[in-house]
Amino acid sequence: MVYRGGLENRFGLTADGGSNPSLSARVAGYKMSDTTWIIIWAAVIGALFVFLWRAGHLARLTTYVQQTREELRKCTWPTWDELKGSTVIVAVSIVLLGGFTVLVDFVFTMLVRWVT
């Protein structure tokens, strides 16, 4: 591993035989506490929230969500029996399409082997 102080071997010694402490040991006094990180992130998120609010993005997002909910209320949703029937149709279609694909692949493979 290469550190600021030079090259270090697997025994923690540099080429001249001296020790080379890891970077974490060098900057141990500069480690920020978890509380500091929480405060920094809260300030960043708060600043982002204020920016979005003043730019009008939050109002547009609120309007979008309200309009989406209104449109979803207008939809007619399938009954349980309709949903089960549609699911069976989709499953059968997938099996048939998969079988057709396997069959066509097999036929083309046999043709290519026969020609070459």
Side-chain angles (χ1 to χ4, degrees):
M1 302 177 124
V2 178
Y3 294 99
R4 283 189 296 196
L7 189 62
E8 183 178 279
N9 64 17
R10 65 183 181 146
F11 301 110
L13 302 175
T14 58
D16 62 357
S19 67
N20 190 6
S22 65
L23 287 176
S24 60
R26 291 184 190 170
V27 293
Y30 298 104
K31 185 177 182 204
M32 294 196 318
S33 69
D34 291 338
T35 306
T36 306
W37 280 111
I38 291 171
I39 292 171
I40 289 171
W41 278 108
V44 167
I45 292 170
L48 180 64
F49 182 79
V50 168
F51 170 75
L52 292 174
W53 184 314
R54 293 202 180 224
H57 296 298
L58 291 179
R60 286 191 293 184
L61 178 63
T62 303
T63 304
Y64 171 75
V65 170
Q66 288 172 349
Q67 290 175 352
T68 302
R69 291 184 67 171
E70 289 174 16
E71 290 297 321
L72 285 174
R73 284 190 190 109
K74 296 177 188 176
C75 293
T76 56
W77 298 97
T79 64
W80 184 246
D81 290 334
E82 291 173 337
L83 184 63
K84 286 191 292 187
S86 298
T87 303
V88 169
I89 290 172
V90 168
V92 169
S93 299
I94 289 172
V95 169
L96 290 175
L97 184 61
F100 175 75
T101 304
V102 169
L103 180 66
V104 169
D105 182 55
F106 179 75
V107 169
F108 279 134
T109 302
M110 289 297 130
L111 284 174
V112 168
R113 286 184 183 170
W114 183 68
V115 170
T116 57

